[in-house]
Amino acid sequence: MTSTDLKPRKLQSTSVPIDALPTQAARLYTHIHPFLVLGVYYIRFNALVVDPVSTLLTSLIPLSILQVSYVVTCLPPAKGSLKQSIPTRTSKQGQRKKPAAAKAENGLSSKFVPALLSLLLAFVLGGPVLTVLLILFGAPLTTHFPHTFLCAIHMSLLAGLPLVYVQGVDATKWREVASVYLPFDEVFGGTVGTLLGAWFGAVPIPLDWDRDWQKWPITIVTGAYLGYVVGKFAGGYLLRGKKLEFD
């Protein structure tokens, strides 16, 4: 056995950056969307400081709407997430729908169904996983559990929903996600930015400033939102197509 055989094999990525849909609406909304996300968060920030649990809970509705609207309008769904061709339905008189109507119906279902499934996975899978990770990184275990869980749901909607929508459930793709070896685009950049932003958001918590906004998990959520916006723009422009190399 040679020395080269002992070296670990480097993961070979075949993924390419995700392009936004080539429509005028997609090109416009992909730039407006981050400001809408930050704007909704900013409007509710004072309420978040006063009552974190209630505000985080009610803020899930507008965030979910914004994220679903974003992926449906701007991003291509993962290949194989639905059948590529859906049989045309027949009317009661046995007549088939017109090709244009069937195409429009198939186009809507091919976007909304993956978007709703991605939303569901963000709640039932992403939320619990990120809750465990937050606890492992120092979140209160015996107290403030609702705060931690809702923080994790917000992070999952920001980081996970678009990623699931474009990558689907392909195990190979998710190995690349787990190893941080996907090429950067606005989706993966938003994911990395959310996680890094939440991590940096923990910095002000132990500082002796005695500010109300230092309460758990306000700075974590704020960092996640800011990181999502910065990462989305950085991945879409500055870092597009690049990969993180760990030698």
Side-chain angles (χ1 to χ4, degrees), residues 129-141 145 148 216:
V129 169
L130 288 173
T131 299
V132 172
L133 290 177
L134 287 173
I135 292 173
L136 292 176
F137 275 90
L141 177 59
F145 182 80
T148 303
W216 178 265

Side-chain angles (χ1 to χ4, degrees), residues 196-214:
L196 288 179
W199 186 58
F200 282 112
V203 172
I205 293 178
L207 300 179
D208 190 18
W209 292 346
D210 294 327
R211 297 291 188 269
D212 290 338
W213 51 263
Q214 288 178 272

